Amino acid sequence: MKRIITAAAAAAVMLTGCGAESHTKGKEVISGEFDKNANITIGGREYEARLRRGGAGMWECEFTAPECISGLTLTASPEICVISAEGLTYEADIADLPDSGLVPQVTKALDDIIAGKGTSGEGYHAETKGGEIISLQTENASLVFSTG
């Protein structure tokens, strides 16, 4: 990255562009000031979220749709992931999260791209245009970012 249903949805989320130029070996660097809306597809389900980067390994993912998880926020640092919704909070060690989850896959890929390691790496491929990320495909998730 909501309550009993939200908690179940959060657990499911964690466990489970037109005209853009594709750079398979490019070193195009995107801004470390990352704050974008994304349409996310995981396991055939669609979500909308805002992803914000607070620094290397520091991310916040706030879901805005569907309504059943709107407001659910996942905040990740290199050590811990905090899941919060409707005044309730749950903390988990990053090491305890599955590598196939949204938080580890997406944040690692974006941190790699921001660090200039290229737009394709272990388990991900991104499309960029003019220093902006357009889309990201990981092993289990597909993200399309709003631009502008």
Side-chain angles (χ1 to χ4, degrees):
M1 323 103 30
K2 297 148 150 233
R3 275 341 7 181
I4 292 179
I5 291 176
T6 306
V13 167
M14 291 180 63
L15 299 173
T16 56
C18 211
E21 300 171 20
S22 178
H23 300 281
T24 56
K25 294 184 183 180
K27 297 286 186 188
E28 184 170 0
V29 177
I30 61 173
S31 172
E33 301 294 318
F34 195 92
D35 185 351
K36 290 191 172 286
N37 292 318
N39 292 318
I40 303 169
T41 304
I42 303 170
R45 294 189 175 165
E46 295 187 8
Y47 304 89
E48 293 176 16
R50 181 166 199 127
L51 278 85
R52 297 178 191 93
R53 183 176 189 254
M58 305 288 292
W59 287 90
E60 179 181 89
C61 178
E62 180 182 359
F63 287 90
T64 56
E67 187 176 329
C68 65
I69 65 166
S70 181
L72 173 74
T73 302
L74 304 172
T75 305
S77 73
E79 298 84 28
I80 195 162
C81 180
V82 178
I83 304 165
S84 59
E86 298 177 9
L88 299 173
T89 301
Y90 175 78
E91 294 183 11
D93 286 337
I94 289 291
D96 293 337
L97 299 177
D99 291 338
S100 61
L102 174 70
V103 172
Q105 279 193 3
V106 170
T107 59
K108 180 194 177 308
L110 290 172
D111 277 336
D112 281 356
I113 296 165
I114 289 168
K117 294 182 180 176
T119 55
S120 286
E122 187 176 328
Y124 69 87
H125 175 76
E127 292 185 36
T128 60
K129 183 175 184 180
E132 290 288 320
I133 189 162
I134 306 299
S135 66
L136 174 66
Q137 180 72 45
T138 68
E139 292 175 11
N140 296 321
S142 176
L143 292 82
V144 176
F145 297 98
S146 62
T147 57

